[in-house]
Amino acid sequence: MNDLPIHKIQISGTTLASVLHRFFSSSGDIHGLLFGHVSFSTTISLSDDLTSNFSTVTTTDSASSSAADGPTLTATITDFLSIPSHFPLPLQHHHRDDPSSVLVGWFSGRRKTPLRPSVKDSTTTLSLASSASHSFTPLDSPYPLSLPPSLFLLLSTPFQEQLIHTHEYKAFQYRVSTDSFDPKSLDIINIGPSFRSHYGSFSPISPFPSMTCDLRGPNAMAEDEKVETLVGIKKGLKDQKELDLCAEGFEIGRLSKLMGSDASNYTAELEHLYDKMLVKLDSLARLVEKSSAKVLEQVQSCRLRMNFDNSDGISPFVRSFAGEDSYL
Amino acid sequence: MAIDAIPPLISAQLNYLVTHSPFSVKVENMWPGGKNTGLLDRFSLVIPFCLDYIKWDVIYNAVYPLAAPDVIFGAEDENFRPYHALGGASDSKSLKNPLTDWNNRDPTRLFSLVLQLRELYKAYQKKRVEEVDDDRLKFEISTMLSREGIEMSLSSNIDKPEEVKFAVPLLDLDLNKMVGGSTWRHQQKIYLQVIYPVGRKYSSAPSAPRLKLVSSPELKAVFSIDDFRLPAWLDGMCMAEYLPTLEEMLESQIKDAVSSIDSRRKLIMALAPLFGRPVEADPVFCRKATFLSSSGVFTFLVHVAIPLQFPKQQPSLMLQSSQHFNSQGVPIKSLVSTEYPWSPRWDTSDMAERIFDFIVDECLNFKKYCNESILQNR
């Protein structure tokens, strides 16, 4: 695995806004995965302004020397997946074939905390950045290159609530070789004429996230390869049972067929599921109706009996009141 | 709705930590992290380290109180990654990340986490100090390491030159046991703080390190380190030479201080036959005693404050009337007085008698003073 510095991190304004919104609207802390791609920087800042050209020549001296060490890489975050932070990151289900959207890193959003990687952040980032199974090859790579998902986006809210800004964020690239979080600036790409140059390299397509539909895994062979504890298996089976109970005969595994290219063949399946749900709802409604009728009946019979007891038609309260009046 | 409440599971862990910690842990700040709940689930812990304090933020999740907490270290410790080196290490069995199999129902978990993290932090700072390229420092570390419990840290402020700080625990005495009846929760210790500027270059006559004696705050009741004069640091000296003389001096002074408690107790006991049983007395360190006394119908309290250097220094006396109050309703007190005949060579019963004689005279003046100030207020 190559441990190369990423020079720039780009994120579309809508994606960042969406991450922030998800963070802001959740009741607790959240974390999640960041998807996107890493590409070789191709944008050349051509300008006929001599002065600015001159200044770039002088300032890019160091940049060009670092570029000599390795390629200039730009990471673009295109979409994300977020879950409450007490759930583990759903890492195992994201082997995607699409090279334009691979796992490039993860993010953690915790309210009112300093913008520094915590113990959990650093251990998670380390395990992500050093796992070979999540490494990917950047787009249009001129030579074989394998990068780990090393980006880490940290979100927080300010301690004082009366401040004008509502959230803070900081992006890092974790380098395994130096065991350091290098702060990186986050370029926000907005749609507009001034960002036209980004259109070429920016992919706004966000694929449907692959959900974990079947806890048992796709095939038995793959399951055997995993080293699982007995407790883990038991828990899995229990969860599966609960899931199956909710599905009412519609195997939850069948849901996975609703994704991908052959989804159209299975819309009928979904309709079938909805039918079943409707039938269930219908039967429930009928039950409620019947029981309500029974309750009403009982209430009415009670009232009849009460009326019979004080047949003069005056309620006991009124009677006692009248009695007191005459007493006076 | 519970506003500003600590969730019970978190509160239990925090209480256990604060009451059982071998060092004094302070909770500096608590704040809620949830969106709508006022539940306090994050807080800063102030932990003593190397005669200084480190502040760690502990982040729980009130929405999911069973989830493991997270810890954020101080801004200057960003490179402290306690569980990074554990991957392939041989001691990974004994030292595993406790956050991976957290059980929030066990109130001891936060306590053991903080203890473990502090140990790891100690090792991290030690490693940093050992990596400093300074010949003298390397030598000092190699000769001092046989001492147990040394903590060290490398200060790396941008605007200040690099310094290495050592906290060397002095004396192998159990001070808590030496002072009978003490109610100290934490082990009392005296440390020598040694600060070396980092030179990086070898020089034949390195400057003396900055030395300072530091004691746990409660020890002040018995022994004041401010009164102790550090022996001089000679040119070309090293710690291994300096410490034995320092410890010898300190030990004899502490023994004196502990025996001084006894002589103070004897004084209080000698005062009792003259003044009657004290209304209030400090039974452990015998620094204070208050007696109720009267002259005719004038009743007053005598506050006796006995200094650490007793019998070299005489006790200071203060009278407080039981019958005269100022316009705020506060009892009128005399000024603190030490101007009465005194000799440290007198017998304890002699000292008590002299104090009694002085009070017999002084109370008349005090009575006059009280009456005058009452008249003035009218």
Side-chain angles (χ1 to χ4, degrees):
Chain A
M1 220 169 354
N2 308 62
D3 187 30
L4 294 171
I6 283 171
H7 292 82
K8 229 198 248 172
I9 304 173
Q10 298 180 331
I11 186 166
S12 76
T14 44
T15 308
L16 182 64
S18 181
V19 173
L20 289 176
H21 174 74
R22 194 69 65 82
F23 171 47
F24 207 64
S25 55
S26 76
S27 55
D29 298 341
I30 61 164
H31 65 182
L33 302 173
L34 297 172
F35 300 99
H37 51 86
V38 173
S39 56
F40 284 84
S41 210
T42 46
T43 45
I44 309 153
S45 56
L46 280 177
S47 168
D48 51 0
D49 187 356
L50 275 173
T51 50
S52 78
N53 223 2
F54 181 71
S55 66
T56 41
V57 167
T58 49
T59 50
T60 50
D61 244 16
S62 56
S64 60
S65 68
S66 69
D69 301 340
T72 310
L73 296 170
T74 305
T76 309
I77 298 164
T78 51
D79 62 315
F80 71 97
L81 185 67
S82 80
I83 51 168
S85 64
H86 66 294
F87 291 122
L89 290 168
L91 286 169
Q92 59 277 25
H93 298 281
H94 288 280
H95 297 288
R96 295 187 181 181
D97 302 326
D98 182 10
S100 69
S101 181
V102 291
L103 182 67
V104 290
W106 73 294
F107 74 93
S108 173
R110 35 184 166 76
R111 283 198 180 81
K112 290 187 191 166
T113 54
L115 275 178
R116 288 193 294 272
S118 68
V119 172
K120 200 181 103 189
D121 297 341
S122 64
T123 45
T124 308
T125 312
L126 173 72
S127 70
L128 205 59
S130 51
S131 79
S133 58
H134 294 296
S135 62
F136 58 92
T137 313
L139 292 176
D140 43 80
S141 165
Y143 49 90
L145 201 62
S146 167
L147 295 173
S150 59
L151 302 188
F152 173 55
L153 180 65
L154 187 54
L155 309 164
S156 184
T157 59
F159 281 84
Q160 284 90 28
E161 271 172 2
Q162 64 268 29
L163 282 183
I164 292 168
H165 64 292
T166 52
H167 23 245
E168 296 164 341
Y169 58 86
K170 204 169 177 183
F172 300 90
Q173 188 203 358
Y174 177 73
R175 304 287 302 279
V176 178
S177 55
T178 54
D179 187 26
S180 61
F181 280 90
D182 298 344
K184 299 278 165 185
S185 67
L186 202 60
D187 283 7
I188 300 167
I189 302 166
N190 288 310
I191 306 297
S194 50
F195 296 94
R196 196 151 284 160
S197 61
H198 289 291
Y199 285 169
S201 59
F202 187 67
S203 153
I205 301 158
S206 171
F208 192 63
S210 52
M211 292 193 301
T212 54
C213 298
D214 199 343
L215 292 163
R216 274 187 290 259
N219 61 41
M221 289 295 284
E223 196 63 20
D224 285 347
E225 281 162 21
K226 277 191 218 156
V227 187
E228 271 194 75
T229 58
L230 193 65
V231 183
I233 295 169
K234 266 188 185 162
K235 196 172 175 292
L237 281 174
K238 202 179 144 238
D239 291 347
Q240 185 66 50
K241 224 180 201 171
E242 276 174 19
L243 267 178
D244 289 346
L245 206 72
C246 296
E248 289 249 328
F250 188 89
E251 248 181 83
I252 218 95
R254 277 155 82 188
L255 266 179
S256 60
K257 294 174 187 161
L258 290 167
M259 285 177 289
S261 54
D262 43 11
S264 55
N265 302 338
Y266 290 97
T267 38
E269 296 257 5
L270 195 63
E271 272 162 18
H272 182 56
L273 171 70
Y274 286 155
D275 278 350
K276 279 211 157 183
M277 284 177 169
L278 279 175
V279 167
K280 197 185 168 192
L281 272 178
D282 196 45
S283 68
L284 265 175
R286 261 174 226 290
L287 246 145
V288 171
E289 192 192 342
K290 262 184 211 161
S291 61
S292 302
K294 262 185 190 157
V295 169
L296 192 72
E297 212 173 283
Q298 275 184 352
V299 167
Q300 272 171 347
S301 70
C302 268
R303 200 171 285 161
L304 266 173
R305 208 171 300 145
M306 268 172 73
N307 284 347
F308 183 73
D309 285 347
N310 23 323
S311 44
D312 51 356
I314 306 167
S315 82
F317 174 71
V318 173
R319 232 187 331 170
S320 77
F321 192 78
E324 248 172 64
D325 213 347
S326 61
Y327 200 76
L328 278 166
Chain B
M1 198 177 99
I3 291 174
D4 286 2
I6 310 169
L9 288 174
I10 298 171
S11 153
Q13 305 236 348
L14 200 54
N15 278 338
Y16 190 90
L17 168 72
V18 172
T19 46
H20 289 78
S21 166
F23 40 86
S24 65
V25 179
K26 282 197 194 80
V27 183
E28 202 183 69
N29 203 357
M30 287 199 94
W31 65 94
K35 196 183 170 199
N36 303 316
T37 61
L39 294 170
L40 304 172
D41 58 352
R42 28 211 77 184
F43 48 86
S44 300
L45 290 180
V46 180
I47 296 158
F49 175 77
C50 198
L51 302 178
D52 206 342
Y53 293 98
I54 40 177
K55 205 165 103 178
W56 291 346
D57 293 332
V58 180
I59 311 296
Y60 275 93
N61 194 343
V63 185
Y64 314 102
L66 284 177
D70 203 355
V71 184
I72 305 174
F73 304 112
E76 65 282 356
D77 296 320
E78 263 186 282
N79 290 319
F80 174 45
R81 312 264 152 70
Y83 300 113
H84 272 205
L86 297 181
S90 55
D91 60 344
S92 56
K93 246 182 211 162
S94 57
L95 234 183
K96 63 191 266 227
N97 185 344
L99 295 171
T100 50
D101 62 335
W102 191 260
N103 177 11
N104 238 355
R105 294 191 200 282
D106 179 359
T108 65
R109 284 305 179 94
L110 180 65
F111 167 75
S112 40
L113 173 73
V114 168
L115 246 58
Q116 193 188 78
L117 281 178
R118 193 180 178 278
E119 280 306 307
L120 289 167
Y121 185 75
K122 203 169 130 185
Y124 158 78
Q125 283 289 1
K126 190 176 164 219
K127 198 164 155 260
R128 256 160 58 98
V129 169
E130 281 168 347
E131 279 166 3
V132 171
D133 182 25
D134 184 309
D135 290 336
R136 177 214 214 172
L137 216 56
K138 283 195 194 314
F139 174 73
E140 292 282 24
I141 292 169
S142 67
T143 52
M144 265 198 291
L145 268 191
S146 56
R147 282 175 168 269
E148 266 179 38
I150 292 186
E151 289 180 353
M152 49 186 106
S153 72
L154 177 70
S155 76
S156 47
N157 255 334
I158 308 156
D159 46 326
K160 273 202 297 190
E162 267 192 338
E163 283 175 344
V164 171
K165 189 160 74 178
F166 290 93
V168 187
L170 298 172
L171 302 173
D172 220 4
L173 302 172
D174 188 350
L175 295 172
N176 289 31
K177 267 195 193 141
M178 281 175 76
V179 179
S182 74
T183 49
W184 291 325
R185 266 230 328 257
H186 302 293
Q187 178 65 44
Q188 299 298 309
K189 261 291 187 207
I190 300 178
Y191 297 90
L192 182 68
Q193 186 187 62
V194 191
I195 300 175
Y196 289 102
V198 175
R200 298 203 186 276
K201 265 185 287 171
Y202 180 78
S203 74
S204 54
S207 59
R210 295 210 304 278
L211 301 166
K212 194 183 160 197
L213 219 50
V214 182
S215 78
S216 22
E218 292 107 315
L219 199 63
K220 281 198 182 82
V222 178
F223 178 72
S224 163
I225 45 154
D226 299 332
D227 299 334
F228 183 82
R229 279 195 53 193
L230 283 170
W233 178 276
L234 305 173
D235 274 347
M237 222 180 184
C238 69
M239 265 295 122
E241 290 174 302
Y242 185 79
L243 290 175
T245 26
L246 171 68
E247 285 196 311
E248 213 172 278
M249 285 168 69
L250 201 60
E251 192 172 345
S252 79
Q253 291 205 13
I254 285 189
K255 280 190 175 146
D256 284 353
V258 172
S259 63
S260 166
I261 298 178
D262 247 7
S263 54
R264 288 197 295 262
R265 181 171 289 125
K266 275 186 193 136
L267 177 75
I268 295 177
M269 280 155 68
L271 286 168
L274 302 165
F275 286 97
R277 265 180 75 85
V279 182
E280 218 174 85
D282 164 13
V284 180
F285 310 115
C286 304
R287 296 285 306 276
K288 273 183 292 189
T290 300
F291 299 90
L292 185 68
S293 193
S294 65
S295 154
V297 288
F298 176 48
T299 10
F300 55 93
L301 292 170
V302 184
H303 296 290
V304 185
I306 314 171
L308 282 175
Q309 283 81 10
F310 181 83
K312 266 183 231 151
Q313 264 179 34
Q314 65 204 86
S316 51
L317 307 171
M318 190 179 66
L319 302 182
Q320 177 188 330
S321 171
S322 309
Q323 294 159 340
H324 303 81
F325 302 90
N326 67 8
S327 51
Q328 277 92 43
V330 179
I332 295 175
K333 289 174 181 175
S334 74
L335 296 172
V336 175
S337 168
T338 50
E339 279 159 27
Y340 55 93
W342 185 258
S343 164
R345 282 178 297 279
W346 286 341
D347 210 45
T348 317
S349 55
D350 256 0
M351 293 173 177
E353 258 167 50
R354 294 287 183 137
I355 291 173
F356 183 73
D357 290 348
F358 173 71
I359 295 293
V360 167
D361 292 344
E362 188 60 27
C363 72
L364 297 175
N365 295 334
F366 180 56
K367 189 181 171 187
K368 226 165 92 190
Y369 168 77
C370 287
N371 285 332
E372 276 166 12
S373 54
I374 291 279
L375 279 175
Q376 267 174 13
N377 280 332
R378 268 187 196 152

